Amino acid sequence: MGRKVILATCSLNQWALDFDGNLERILRSIEKAKSVGAKYRLGPELEICGYGCADHFYESDTLLHCFQVLRKLLESPVTQDIICDVGMPIMHHNVRYNCRVMFLNRKILLIRPKMLLANYGNNREFRWFSPWNKLRHVEEYFLPRMIQDVTGEDTVPFGDCVLSTKDTCIGSEICAELWNSRSPHVDMGLDGVEIFTNSSASYHELRKADHRVNLVKSATTKSGGIYMFANQKGCDGDRLYYDGCAMVAINGDIVAQGTQFSLDEVEVVTASLDLEDVRSYRGEHCHPHVEYEHKPCHRVKVDFSLSDCNGVYLPTHQPIEWQFHTPEEEISLGPACWLWDYLRRSGQAGFLLPLSGGVDSSSTACIVYSMCVLVCQAVRDGNSQVLEDVQRVVSDVSYTPVDPRELCGRVFTTCYMASENSSEGTRNRARDLAAQVGSSHMSLNIDIAVKAMLGIFSMVTGKWPQFSANGGSTRENLALQNVQARIRMILAYLFAQLNQWALGKPGGLLVLGSANVDESLTGYFTKYDCSSADINPIGGISKTDLKSFLQYCAEQFQLTALKSIMAAPPTAELEPLADGQVSQTDESDMGMTYSELSVIGRLRKISKCGPYSMFCKLIHTWREALSPLQVAAKVKHFFKMYSVNRHKMTTVTPSYHAESYGPDDNRFDLRPFLYNTRWSWQFRAIDDQVGIQHRGHILIFHFPQPAWEFSDEARP
């Protein structure tokens, strides 16, 4: 009797609608699996077309091309003598399903549709797919003629079924089904399924990897079994980064671990395991027919074995301790891999960053430097795809990157844009950091452009606005700050388009933004300033995490210039200096600290708190520091800023998704952008709790002038 099996799961850097590339990567993963003797290969969710097709799933072309790729896979000699499990959308009885297709030796064994769809966070699967809600029900699926011509089959099983080989039984879960309270693996395990597979398109969020690992471990801790987890990897054309972590577990222990962040397009994780270990574990822990009645799984039988009768000397994988990244490492690696995918697939020649000398733009610069470190390491490790991509980016087929600083000089341009309100401190900090990461650095002054814009306004109106420090009104003060910020955006795009041309080099540059998640939440940036860019690698990361990240970079990459940047108070530098020193700071403008904003942001999004619920929670959280009256003032001030500025999220730069409390309006955080900013009913409920008696609707709390047209990164 065969006991030991070799199983292969993988992480693939698929790209939405890149059918040629996706096919090539699938075939490479199968080749790698077979090369180590695996008899079963599992791939990511919807790997044939890519998970991020969005409304392209509505198109019949997408379904057609998926079947064309499936035919190529069936015909390929690479797929012979191994059970291949691939993902694609399929329409059955005019209903679209997210499916797994299992095939062996030019025969489709079964099609398993997803039963529990993901419809939270960034996932909108109910928009494109229907769940298969017929438990243990199987129907006939009539294959397209192009597939019939290859397989010789007219119909195949379609529904909630499992695969029964000569030596074991395999059952599928698809992504969110693992996270659900009614995960299919529970009943499948009680019915004798020994190998569970999970094909995912699970995206990165800071501090999320341990949840995923714990779910995989717990799936086989309770009732035993082998659990295989496959995931997509990389940027497939959207704000998300799919972070790999392919793994294999048995009886609650992880025995094989893939990488979370890497530039490898194809990563295959294999494990050799003993089926008798599952049976022994269950013999002691699991008695399904004693516990409760359940409907047996529909088994599709296949004349094939995963094990080999001669495998007695095959060593089995032993339990390992999962190695988790720290949040600082995650920030260094995830956005860097995302930037590399975006750069190489966009066809551009590099990045341009308005570098201010502050925490946010410096964080973006460090992420680009980390990207260059990863590229150089991948080339040293023999990654031919990365070498080919970097040669195309720099337009030099003979180039081989060795030093990250030298590579930065080729693909990364930084620009300090000073005004009369800029200090020498920020100029020097930007210059020093640029020198240490190796970017091609420019320094320029925007005052002539600002005066030209104001001159046009003065010529038409006969008036010249003044800063508050010079006797101007609040409206004048805001407008003067905004014109500086917006001119910087225009200049950033001008240099991004023409700098390569001026140097006699081909291509253009992608403009990088650097507004953090807390600024987006409150609207603490100027609409259409330097926060407006092509992409933003830190738009989903909090200021608190970014400061910790810079401390990590200072030590990891020996970037000593970061120490003075971290020590300086965050400032927009859009108002006149006081005796040559900065007089404007972010936290003073916003009326709250960045750490307070992180707490508020999590309550708003993760805990689903409106003004009243937030107040009720914060009076306990902040009871040591603030009175209920002060908490009420903070909550009201936040919701005033948030609602006045929500319209900015409709035009915010596409950002790397990293936080579960991000305010991204595209798909993650769907809210109105025109609010009644008085919140009269809600604020009155708060006032009733603190016993405030007042005339009218709400009590007015006096904060500094709200900074909903300012920007941390609209400074030079």
Side-chain angles (χ1 to χ4, degrees):
M1 179 178 65
R3 298 166 48 117
K4 296 179 181 178
V5 295
I6 300 177
L7 306 171
T9 183
C10 61
S11 296
L12 303 183
N13 194 332
Q14 302 298 74
W15 190 7
L17 303 176
D18 178 24
F19 293 99
D20 284 313
N22 293 348
L23 170 61
E24 186 267 337
R25 285 181 284 271
I26 292 170
L27 287 172
R28 279 169 54 197
S29 71
I30 298 171
E31 280 185 312
K32 287 189 174 186
K34 289 180 68 175
S35 69
V36 295
K39 295 295 183 70
Y40 180 91
R41 174 269 181 199
L42 175 71
E45 185 175 12
L46 295 169
E47 61 189 301
I48 287 181
C49 56
Y51 183 80
C53 293
D55 281 0
H56 289 288
F57 284 123
Y58 289 135
E59 300 168 1
S60 60
D61 281 10
T62 303
L63 300 173
L64 169 66
H65 299 327
C66 283
F67 272 113
Q68 290 170 335
V69 171
L70 179 60
R71 175 175 175 138
K72 292 284 188 184
L73 290 169
L74 289 164
E75 292 176 329
S76 172
V78 172
T79 63
Q80 302 304 297
D81 300 320
I82 182 172
I83 296 177
C84 298
D85 187 337
V86 299
M88 61 182 280
I90 290 178
M91 185 171 281
H92 176 55
H93 293 170
N94 294 329
V95 179
R96 193 180 298 102
Y97 295 98
N98 175 349
C99 296
R100 302 304 301 173
V101 180
M102 295 189 195
F103 62 90
L104 170 68
N105 294 337
R106 299 167 69 97
K107 299 288 185 182
I108 294 177
L109 305 175
L110 62 86
I111 300 174
R112 201 283 204 176
K114 193 170 185 177
M115 303 173 68
L116 301 168
L117 300 183
N119 211 52
Y120 45 80
N122 284 290
N123 302 113
R124 293 289 179 271
E125 291 182 9
F126 273 101
R127 181 177 175 91
W128 309 298
F129 301 109
S130 294
W132 182 261
N133 50 23
K134 303 174 183 178
L135 188 67
R136 301 290 185 265
H137 181 72
V138 177
E139 298 177 356
E140 284 189 322
Y141 177 76
F142 285 84
L143 294 169
R145 279 176 292 181
M146 73 173 83
I147 303 299
Q148 292 181 21
D149 291 343
V150 177
T151 66
E153 303 165 299
D154 295 327
T155 64
V156 294
F158 184 102
D160 180 17
C161 51
V162 299
L163 189 65
S164 184
T165 65
K166 295 170 71 174
D167 51 359
T168 189
C169 190
I170 307 165
S172 294
E173 287 188 327
I174 305 177
C175 199
E177 293 174 350
L178 171 63
W179 300 74
N180 196 277
S181 57
R182 300 182 61 187
S183 295
H185 70 259
V186 176
D187 285 338
M188 287 193 295
L190 293 173
D191 194 45
V193 174
E194 295 178 329
I195 300 173
F196 310 110
T197 67
N198 187 297
S199 308
S200 282
S202 181
Y203 55 84
H204 175 235
E205 279 183 356
L206 292 174
R207 307 170 179 90
K208 174 183 172 181
D210 63 318
H211 301 315
R212 187 187 294 147
V213 173
N214 289 337
L215 282 170
V216 169
K217 291 170 67 175
S218 67
T220 58
T221 298
K222 292 174 287 189
S223 59
I226 296 168
Y227 204 100
M228 303 171 63
F229 179 86
N231 196 18
Q232 192 161 302
K233 181 197 294 184
C235 167
D236 79 337
D238 204 342
R239 294 159 171 79
L240 308 178
Y241 178 80
Y242 300 94
D243 58 335
C245 291
M247 68 186 94
V248 182
I250 181 170
N251 298 338
D253 292 318
I254 302 294
V255 294
Q257 170 188 353
T259 59
Q260 186 174 12
F261 309 105
S262 83
L263 303 187
D264 293 332
E265 287 195 323
V266 176
E267 180 183 19
V268 176
V269 176
T270 60
S272 56
L273 299 167
D274 194 334
L275 294 173
E276 289 301 312
D277 289 339
V278 175
R279 294 157 188 164
S280 298
Y281 187 94
R282 286 182 172 175
E284 180 179 1
H285 294 85
C286 185
H287 305 283
H289 301 294
V290 174
E291 293 169 15
Y292 71 97
E293 294 184 3
H294 64 280
K295 190 175 181 180
C297 301
H298 179 94
R299 280 168 162 75
V300 176
K301 297 178 182 179
V302 55
D303 185 17
F304 187 76
S305 295
L306 300 188
S307 59
D308 190 329
C309 293
N310 299 319
V312 65
Y313 294 108
L314 180 69
T316 56
H317 280 62
Q318 298 304 306
I320 61 173
E321 193 68 31
W322 189 280
Q323 300 299 311
F324 292 103
H325 291 289
T326 65
E328 294 77 21
E329 290 172 335
E330 290 186 80
I331 296 171
S332 175
L333 298 170
C337 293
W338 183 74
L339 283 182
W340 176 244
D341 278 347
Y342 202 102
L343 176 61
R344 68 193 182 97
R345 288 172 169 171
S346 69
Q348 298 303 299
F351 300 113
L352 182 139
L353 171 68
L355 182 61
S356 70
V359 166
D360 292 340
S361 61
S362 298
S363 297
T364 298
C366 289
I367 288 171
V368 176
Y369 181 75
S370 177
M371 180 199 80
C372 292
V373 171
L374 290 174
V375 169
C376 291
Q377 184 60 52
V379 171
R380 282 195 295 272
D381 293 342
N383 191 319
S384 59
Q385 183 63 58
V386 172
L387 178 59
E388 179 185 328
D389 288 334
V390 75
Q391 289 173 342
R392 186 174 61 253
V393 168
V394 302
S395 300
D396 184 352
V397 294
S398 64
Y399 175 65
T400 299
V402 176
D403 177 21
R405 293 183 70 257
E406 188 273 336
L407 177 58
C408 256
R410 288 176 177 255
V411 301
F412 189 32
T413 299
T414 51
C415 183
Y416 180 85
M417 293 185 258
S419 76
E420 60 186 11
N421 302 317
S422 303
S423 67
E424 280 301 311
T426 53
R427 182 195 302 271
N428 294 338
R429 289 192 286 272
R431 180 200 61 212
D432 293 346
L433 180 60
Q436 290 186 5
V437 301
S439 66
S440 176
H441 188 62
M442 299 179 288
S443 184
L444 55 90
N445 191 289
I446 67 170
D447 286 338
I448 186 172
V450 173
K451 288 182 171 60
M453 292 290 288
L454 295 176
I456 295 172
F457 177 82
S458 179
M459 183 173 60
V460 174
T461 64
K463 294 182 178 293
W464 193 280
Q466 299 292 327
F467 284 105
S468 296
N470 300 326
S473 66
T474 298
R475 281 190 292 175
E476 294 171 74
N477 199 60
L478 285 172
L480 287 172
Q481 294 181 69
N482 295 158
V483 71
Q484 296 171 72
R486 288 173 177 142
I487 281 173
R488 288 183 175 123
M489 181 204 71
I490 294 170
L491 287 171
Y493 273 98
L494 177 65
F495 277 91
Q497 287 182 296
L498 294 180
N499 193 60
Q500 295 291 97
W501 167 78
L503 296 172
K505 298 179 180 179
L509 304 176
L510 293 164
V511 179
L512 294 179
S514 47
N516 62 62
V517 70
D518 300 318
E519 291 171 348
S520 296
L521 188 61
T522 58
Y524 185 67
F525 61 92
T526 300
K527 199 174 186 179
Y528 304 118
D529 70 342
C530 279
S531 65
S532 297
D534 293 312
I535 50 175
N536 178 1
I538 68 164
I541 306 172
S542 72
K543 191 82 160 191
T544 303
D545 280 338
L546 289 176
K547 289 179 179 178
S548 299
F549 165 64
L550 289 188
Q551 181 65 45
Y552 165 82
C553 290
E555 299 169 2
Q556 179 73 13
F557 302 133
Q558 289 80 52
L559 301 176
T560 57
L562 293 174
K563 295 180 180 179
S564 61
I565 291 170
M566 289 184 288
T571 173
E573 286 196 341
L574 293 169
E575 295 188 42
L577 302 174
D579 299 324
Q581 300 299 313
V582 171
S583 61
Q584 178 186 25
T585 63
D586 293 352
E587 293 184 338
S588 175
D589 279 344
M590 292 188 295
M592 58 185 66
T593 66
Y594 280 109
S595 60
E596 289 172 341
L597 273 175
S598 290
V599 174
I600 286 174
R602 285 178 168 82
L603 288 175
R604 182 197 71 98
K605 177 66 177 176
I606 300 173
S607 300
K608 314 296 188 295
C609 287
Y612 178 72
S613 296
M614 186 178 294
F615 165 78
C616 291
K617 289 181 181 293
L618 288 177
I619 57 174
H620 301 289
T621 304
W622 290 345
R623 65 182 179 276
E624 300 297 330
L626 300 174
S627 69
L629 184 61
Q630 291 171 315
V631 171
K634 291 273 188 184
V635 170
K636 291 180 180 182
H637 182 60
F638 166 75
F639 275 97
K640 176 72 173 179
M641 283 204 302
Y642 161 76
S643 57
V644 164
N645 290 296
R646 183 63 192 185
H647 67 95
K648 295 180 182 179
M649 295 310 299
T650 64
T651 61
V652 75
T653 297
S655 300
Y656 180 96
H657 176 85
E659 272 290 2
S660 53
Y661 73 90
D664 171 34
D665 185 68
N666 172 259
R667 189 167 68 190
F668 183 68
D669 188 45
L670 305 180
R671 315 273 174 145
F673 57 86
L674 177 62
Y675 280 90
N676 181 341
T677 60
R678 292 184 296 276
W679 300 87
S680 55
W681 190 285
Q682 296 91 330
F683 288 0
R684 193 161 56 244
I686 295 174
D687 294 341
D688 290 343
Q689 286 298 316
V690 294
I692 299 176
Q693 301 297 321
H694 57 87
R695 178 174 53 84
H697 289 86
I698 63 170
L699 198 65
I700 303 300
F701 294 91
H702 295 284
F703 281 85
Q705 173 60 41
W708 33 74
E709 287 294 342
F710 301 166
S711 171
D712 181 45
E713 291 305 318
R715 57 181 182 266

